[in-house]
Amino acid sequence: MKIAIVHDWLVTYAGAEKVLASMLKIWPDADLFSVIDFLSDEDRKHLGGKRATTTFIQRLPKARTRYQKYLPLMPMAIEQLDLSGYDLILSSSHAVAKGVLTGPNQLHISYVHSPIRYAWDLQHQYLREANLLAGLKSKVARMILHYMRMWDQRTAAGVDEFISNSQFIGRRIDKAYRRPSTVIYPPVDTTGFNLQTEKQDFYLTAQRMVPYKKVPMMVEAFSAMPDKRLIVIGDGPEMEKCRAVCGPNVTLMGYQSFEVLREHMQNARGFVFAAEEDFGISPVEAQACGTPVIAFGRGGTLETVRGLNDDNPTGVFYYQQTVAALTAAIETFESQASRFNARTCRENALQFAEKRFEREMRQFVEQRWNEARLGDAFDCNPVLGLADTGLLLAAAQKL
């Protein structure tokens, strides 16, 4: 069996790339394909040193730093990848990877981090954040997103099985493609974060400073609570907005090493999270350290954090991305502090460990592969009797 793994683009090592790394651990002999591949040597170590076969976009001007500008070309680019020599295609997709061309004798399983967010339900948010609500550029952007939406829906027909990274994304897949999916939560390196039961008197948030993460809102909320301390790890385009509303009780540390991040996660009284994420790895990492979470109550965090309605809560939810809502959540968190237990947080995080992902992913793919081979055998010989089914399935499982 020849296996190809297709990823959208390889530029940084983030959440989607951690899923890819685990897939390559399961199938180390698989060939890797991607629209572009500009990973650093350090990040490439996570992929076992494997390099991807790329598309023509790899050679276009400024593709390394401005690859998002080539999004309108990516559907055509991904379709030019020749996967005709492979039996099994696994795509890791949040944009275009699932759109590779496959034939009737190939099995295509797509692990979907999300349907293209900015082309579907988040289109209007994307246009607002990009200042594209009016004018010629707005019209062009809307035309491109309309085209991407049609292409994304059409290419869903080429996928045999969908895997979603959360129930939240499963609902988004159903909305966009009208297809069912199986939830396999992404891998979280819980072994890299150690349990610490003794906490210090500060809150932590750690993430990229991009608009949907709402970091300035969190900074503003804590600046209005001078008796509480917030440490912010991360950098990005929203840094200047954070500085503008930052009070003396808020520390903006910028980008930090993993060791510094882990130390702060282990020592924090609580981890603050304000994004509507597809899954959200950092709240799970915080819980792996025994640190409870104060999280916006939409998206994947509803599946990874146990709220106060649970007998063994691991966090508090708030339901509006506003200063007032977060302030009230912090007050609730402190009034209910006796209900949070560091070991309970750790136990909750362990259900998202890497070994669990690798086991569930391998079992799912092997089962679908065996079912596909069994179906091929019946197609070739439709008069096979039911008595032969057990023998045939046993033979397929040995392949």
Side-chain angles (χ1 to χ4, degrees):
M1 179 172 59
K2 289 193 66 178
I3 302 174
I5 298 179
V6 187
H7 194 69
D8 289 304
W9 48 74
L10 291 166
V11 179
T12 59
Y13 187 72
E17 288 69 39
K18 291 177 181 179
V19 171
L20 175 63
S22 288
M23 292 170 68
L24 287 170
K25 286 181 183 178
I26 304 171
W27 299 284
D29 295 328
D31 292 329
L32 180 60
F33 295 82
S34 182
V35 172
I36 57 173
D37 182 355
F38 292 110
L39 274 187
S40 67
D41 292 339
E42 187 66 27
D43 287 341
R44 196 175 301 282
K45 291 177 183 178
H46 297 288
L47 306 184
K50 197 176 290 287
R51 292 185 178 274
T53 298
T54 58
T55 69
F56 66 85
I57 294 179
Q58 178 86 10
R59 300 180 294 278
L60 295 181
K62 298 184 179 179
R64 179 190 296 268
T65 57
R66 305 292 295 275
Y67 61 93
Q68 295 98 332
K69 299 293 184 182
Y70 294 119
L71 182 65
L73 298 178
M74 288 186 184
M76 180 175 68
I78 205 75
E79 291 177 349
Q80 303 313 306
L81 292 173
D82 183 5
L83 303 182
S84 58
Y86 294 89
D87 305 298
L88 172 65
I89 291 90
L90 303 172
S91 58
S92 166
S93 183
H94 59 79
V96 298
K98 79 165 198 357
V100 290
L101 300 179
T102 59
N105 295 320
Q106 296 173 297
L107 177 64
H108 180 188
I109 298 175
S110 185
Y111 188 96
V112 177
H113 307 277
S114 177
I116 307 176
R117 301 174 186 87
Y118 27 86
W120 290 97
D121 55 310
L122 298 184
Q123 171 184 296
H124 302 293
Q125 177 181 328
Y126 163 76
L127 292 173
R128 281 195 303 273
E129 293 172 352
N131 196 26
L132 290 171
L133 291 177
L136 180 59
K137 288 185 178 180
S138 175
K139 289 181 173 62
V140 172
R142 292 172 193 272
M143 289 175 59
I144 291 172
L145 293 175
H146 179 68
Y147 157 70
M148 294 294 297
R149 194 158 46 246
M150 291 191 298
W151 178 86
D152 192 36
Q153 188 175 55
R154 177 182 62 78
T155 55
V159 177
D160 297 294
E161 296 284 349
F162 279 106
I163 301 173
S164 52
N165 75 350
S166 64
Q167 296 175 29
F168 174 64
I169 291 305
R171 295 192 295 273
R172 189 176 278 171
I173 289 172
D174 181 63
K175 277 276 188 178
Y177 309 145
R178 290 303 177 192
R179 293 280 302 277
S181 61
T182 299
V183 176
I184 298 180
Y185 291 114
V188 180
D189 182 18
T190 53
T191 59
F193 295 86
N194 301 321
L195 172 67
Q196 187 159 314
T197 57
E198 297 298 322
K199 303 297 181 181
Q200 298 179 20
D201 193 20
F202 70 87
Y203 292 88
L204 172 72
T205 189
Q207 49 216 298
R208 291 179 296 119
M209 291 187 181
V210 292
Y212 84 95
K213 299 279 191 180
K214 306 295 182 184
V215 181
M217 183 274 290
M218 291 186 280
V219 171
E220 184 178 356
F222 274 87
S223 296
M225 297 183 286
D227 58 322
K228 297 172 178 55
R229 184 180 170 210
L230 175 68
I231 293 177
V232 182
I233 293 178
D235 204 348
E238 297 275 275
M239 176 61 89
E240 288 306 315
K241 291 184 180 180
C242 290
R243 291 193 177 113
V245 296
C246 184
N249 61 320
V250 177
T251 303
L252 303 177
M253 296 185 64
Y255 174 80
Q256 297 293 323
S257 67
F258 171 74
E259 289 72 24
V260 172
L261 170 65
R262 179 175 56 190
E263 179 184 358
H264 282 81
M265 273 193 171
Q266 290 171 339
N267 286 297
R269 181 178 185 179
F271 185 82
V272 189
F273 197 70
E276 180 182 336
E277 288 281 16
D278 306 329
F279 174 74
I281 288 179
S282 54
V284 180
E285 293 172 339
Q287 291 174 85
C289 297
T291 302
V293 178
I294 302 97
F296 179 51
R298 287 184 64 179
T301 52
L302 289 173
E303 302 170 49
T304 62
V305 178
R306 300 179 192 167
L308 291 174
N309 59 339
D310 193 281
D311 291 337
N312 298 293
T314 64
V316 169
F317 293 117
Y318 58 100
Y319 299 95
Q320 291 180 310
Q321 292 170 310
T322 64
V323 169
L326 177 55
T327 301
I330 296 296
E331 292 173 353
T332 300
F333 177 83
E334 294 191 349
S335 69
Q336 299 290 319
S338 61
R339 296 187 61 191
F340 301 113
N341 180 277
R343 297 188 185 281
T344 299
C345 291
R346 171 87 180 164
E347 290 169 3
N348 187 52
L350 290 178
Q351 65 180 310
F352 305 102
E354 286 181 295
K355 293 297 183 184
R356 183 270 323 157
F357 172 83
E358 293 173 10
R359 181 183 68 253
E360 292 181 5
M361 193 73 183
R362 186 195 307 274
Q363 290 174 347
F364 182 91
V365 171
E366 289 180 352
Q367 180 179 347
R368 296 303 182 270
W369 172 255
N370 290 337
E371 290 172 354
R373 294 299 297 270
L374 182 61
D376 289 344
F378 273 105
D379 288 341
C380 294
N381 187 357
V383 298
L384 277 171
L386 291 177
D388 299 318
T389 303
L391 292 174
L392 193 56
L393 180 58
Q397 290 172 336
K398 294 179 180 179
L399 293 175

